[in-house]
Structures are given as C-alpha cells and as structure tokens.
C-alpha cells in the first residue's frame, strides 16, 4: 500500500510532462503541415516540373495582397464578397 505514495506523484508528474511536451510541440509549429511531407515523398526532388511548382507556390504566397483579417481591420469585407468597381 505504501507504493501508492510513490506511484501517484510519479504518475501526476508524467502527465504534467506529457502536457508540457504537447504544448511545446503545438506552439513550435510541429503540427502546422501534416500533409506536405506525406505528399512530398511521392515526387522526385530533382524533377524540373516539381521544382517549378514549388517555386510557383512560394511566389504565389508572396504576391498575394494581405487580407482584411491580416490587416486587423474588423470592418472590412473579405475580398470575394466585395462588389467589383463600376466603370
């Protein structure tokens, strides 16, 4: 029965450590892209078409204007809901 005096604090300590490790992993971006590595194994890294597609994706991300949410403007409508300018 005295072994419970040791096992209960050890179990609580292990749970605290597990929660801390999980929180650290989430905050450091370990779960940001779960699909990318799974799909990248299907492609040859030296394939010119694959390299061009990767560069195109990076350029597309850089060329996009910031959205209303990124500008922290709560009153702005999303870009797809705005009326086109009248000429």
């Amino acid at each position: 029965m005295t072994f419970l005096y040791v096992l209960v604090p050890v179990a609580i300590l292990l749970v605290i450590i597990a929660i801390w490790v999980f929180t650290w992993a989430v905050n450091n971006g370990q779960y940001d892209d779960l699909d990318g590595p799974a799909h990248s194994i299907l492609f040859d890294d030296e394939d010119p078409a694959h390299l061009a597609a990767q560069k195109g994706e990076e350029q597309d991300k850089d060329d996009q204007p910031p959205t209303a949410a990124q500008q922290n403007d709560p009153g702005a409508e999303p870009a797809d809901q705005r009326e086109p300018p009248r000429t």
Side-chain angles (χ1 to χ4, degrees), residues 18-80:
I19 291 171
W20 179 79
V21 168
F22 177 74
T23 305
W24 174 85
V26 169
N27 289 337
N28 285 323
Q30 296 294 318
Y31 297 108
D32 284 348
D33 184 18
L34 297 177
D35 294 331
H39 292 288
S40 69
I41 197 168
L42 300 174
F43 299 104
D44 184 17
D45 289 338
E46 310 214 357
D47 183 19
H50 178 63
L51 293 174
Q54 283 183 332
K55 288 180 183 176
E57 288 176 1
E58 290 173 2
Q59 289 177 354
D60 288 344
K61 289 179 183 176
D62 294 338
D63 293 341
Q64 292 178 353
T67 63
Q70 291 170 338
Q71 294 175 352
N72 293 328
D73 187 6
E77 296 178 20
D80 57 340

